[in-house]
């Protein structure tokens, strides 16, 4: 993440806040399952297979939707080329808006899988050479990097190298707080707020300009 400019840091932190917001809404709606934290859902799947098959079924549905979102996002990124950040964020905003609309019109069972698909898709926003370079929905690696960069600073390394990682984590936590507050007031309709922010971030991504292709052309031997 330290290889990116400040505008990308801001975009990543904003995108992470959307992920935190959506995960909080999904968590409260589902009563303990997640729409972006798939490590937690994997544990819930394993435990549910033993003690609660209904939880296990919901967990596997969310896992499948998340992976489907990653696949779709990767394909869309390859097609969008140098404008992939803007396109992916617009797609994420569309999926979240559709999730809110389905819940409004009585198709609430599809709302959370669509949220999970959106969260899988959003993780393809930041790529280098076909690999995710900044994960915006999972923070364990980010906190490890934060600790490492902070230790480097104490040892005389780059003084502020830890800041982007802290900003990414704070973005997710702040988004989760906002999502919790809004869900308690508006229910699943609060997801439209995240959709609007995703679209706004797509507009901000335009100010960064085109980026390198997400995938490197493969040369056959």
């Amino acid at each position: 993440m330290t290889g990116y400019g400040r505008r990308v840091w801001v975009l990543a932190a904003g995108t992470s806040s959307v992920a935190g917001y959506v995960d909080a809404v999904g968590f409260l709606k589902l009563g303990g399952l997640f729409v972006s934290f798939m490590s937690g859902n994997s544990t819930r799947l394993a435990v549910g297979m033993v003690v609660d098959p209904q939880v296990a079924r919901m967990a596997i549905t969310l896992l499948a939707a998340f992976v489907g979102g990653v696949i779709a996002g990767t394909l869309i990124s390859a097609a969008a080329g140098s404008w992939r950040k803007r396109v992916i964020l617009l797609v994420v905003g569309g999926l979240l808006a559709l999730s809110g609309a389905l819940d409004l019109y009585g198709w609430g069972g599809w709302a959370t899988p669509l949220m999970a698909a959106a969260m899988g898709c959003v993780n393809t926003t930041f790529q280098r050479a076909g690999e995710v370079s900044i994960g915006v929905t999972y923070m364990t690696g980010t906190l490890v990097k934060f600790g490492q960069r902070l230790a480097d600073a104490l040892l005389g390394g780059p003084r502020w190298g830890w800041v982007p990682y802290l900003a990414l984590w704070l973005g997710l936590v702040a988004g989760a707080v906002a999502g919790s507050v809004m869900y308690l007031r508006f229910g699943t309709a609060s997801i439209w707020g995240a959709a609007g922010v995703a679209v706004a971030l797509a507009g901000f991504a335009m100010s960064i300009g085109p980026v390198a292709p997400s995938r490197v052309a493969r040369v056959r031997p």
Side-chain angles (χ1 to χ4, degrees), residues 59-168:
I60 195 66
T61 298
L62 295 169
L63 287 160
F66 184 90
V67 173
V70 174
I71 294 170
T74 302
L75 295 175
I76 292 168
S77 293
S82 59
W83 295 104
R84 66 181 180 277
K85 287 181 172 60
R86 175 180 62 178
V87 173
I88 286 295
L89 288 168
L90 287 173
V91 170
V92 169
L95 287 172
L96 294 175
L98 179 59
S99 173
L102 288 175
D103 187 77
L104 177 66
Y105 290 104
W107 294 81
W110 291 94
T112 45
L114 269 176
M115 291 181 205
M119 294 298 93
C121 187
V122 82
N123 274 296
T124 66
T125 305
F126 301 94
Q127 297 184 54
R128 278 181 175 168
E131 299 292 336
V132 173
S133 55
I134 303 175
V136 295
T137 70
Y138 41 91
M139 289 294 120
T140 301
T142 297
L143 290 173
V144 169
K145 290 291 186 182
F146 165 67
Q148 288 179 322
R149 296 296 180 267
L150 190 54
D152 286 345
L154 295 173
L155 292 171
R159 183 176 297 180
W160 305 111
W162 50 272
V163 172
Y165 299 100
L166 178 61
L168 199 65

Side-chain angles (χ1 to χ4, degrees), residues 4 10 15-16 22 34 54 78 83 93 105 121-123 138 147 174 178 193 201 205:
Y4 287 104
V10 172
T15 306
S16 182
V22 173
F34 304 90
Q54 184 174 353
W83 295 104
Y105 290 104
C121 187
V122 82
N123 274 296
Y138 41 91
L201 289 171

